[in-house]
Amino acid sequence: MLGVYLSGTGNTKHCVEKLTGLLDADAKTIPLENPGVIEQIKNNDTIIFGYPIQFSNAPYMVRDFIKENYMIWDKKKILCVATMGAFSGDGAGCKTERLSGRRIKR
Ligand SMILES: Cc1cc2nc3c(=O)[nH]c(=O)nc-3n(C[C@H](O)[C@H](O)[C@H](O)COP(=O)(O)O)c2cc1C
């Protein structure tokens, strides 16, 4: 298991670290900006993937990362975690659908 997050002010970092630690005390949690993030994702079957909602969607950086690295998600269990200030959009759902393969443009 691996925790991956994008976080501006720390809310998402806190949530992903906490959840990943509760699910697997030995699991690492790293930021999306970590230079080794692609290799780390490839090496783990289960990914806890967190991002903050911005303007009712995942941030561009998250959307681009998923799309540009479309080949690393196949056959993985991915749990999307979205933090937000108030209800808007569909939170974790927007990237869950993309990661399921239905909306990834190749
Ligand atoms: C530029 C920007 C846009 C945001 N847009 C939304 C939004 O559309 N809906 C919402 O509920 N929260 C929105 N928020 C609030 C963040 O999603 C929320 O504070 C989140 O927990 C921040 O996570 P972070 O501390 O990991 O960056 C926005 C925050 C920023 C900075």
Side-chain angles (χ1 to χ4, degrees):
M1 181 177 291
L2 174 72
V4 178
Y5 63 85
L6 181 71
S7 188
T9 62
N11 295 344
T12 314
K13 177 178 191 281
H14 172 79
C15 293
V16 173
E17 283 177 346
K18 185 92 179 171
L19 179 60
T20 306
L22 286 169
L23 293 172
D24 180 353
D26 297 326
K28 277 174 62 175
T29 299
I30 59 172
L32 194 63
E33 301 94 321
N34 184 307
V37 70
I38 294 170
E39 276 312 303
Q40 297 264 10
I41 290 171
K42 283 181 185 168
N43 292 338
N44 283 274
D45 292 334
T46 303
I47 312 294
I48 312 298
F49 192 3
Y51 51 86
I53 290 296
Q54 292 182 351
F55 309 113
S56 303
N57 205 338
Y60 277 111
M61 196 172 154
V62 170
R63 286 188 262 168
D64 289 348
F65 181 83
I66 293 170
K67 205 157 73 173
E68 285 163 13
N69 298 290
Y70 64 86
M71 72 297 286
I72 66 177
W73 308 109
D74 276 356
K75 299 188 172 57
K76 294 198 186 295
K77 287 183 192 155
I78 303 166
L79 176 64
C80 287
V81 176
T83 68
M84 58 188 85
F87 178 81
S88 72
D90 67 350
C94 52
K95 289 315 119 214
T96 304
E97 189 184 44
R98 190 171 283 274
L99 283 161
S100 74
R102 278 173 287 154
R103 291 183 52 205
I104 296 178
K105 290 198 182 108
R106 300 190 178 202

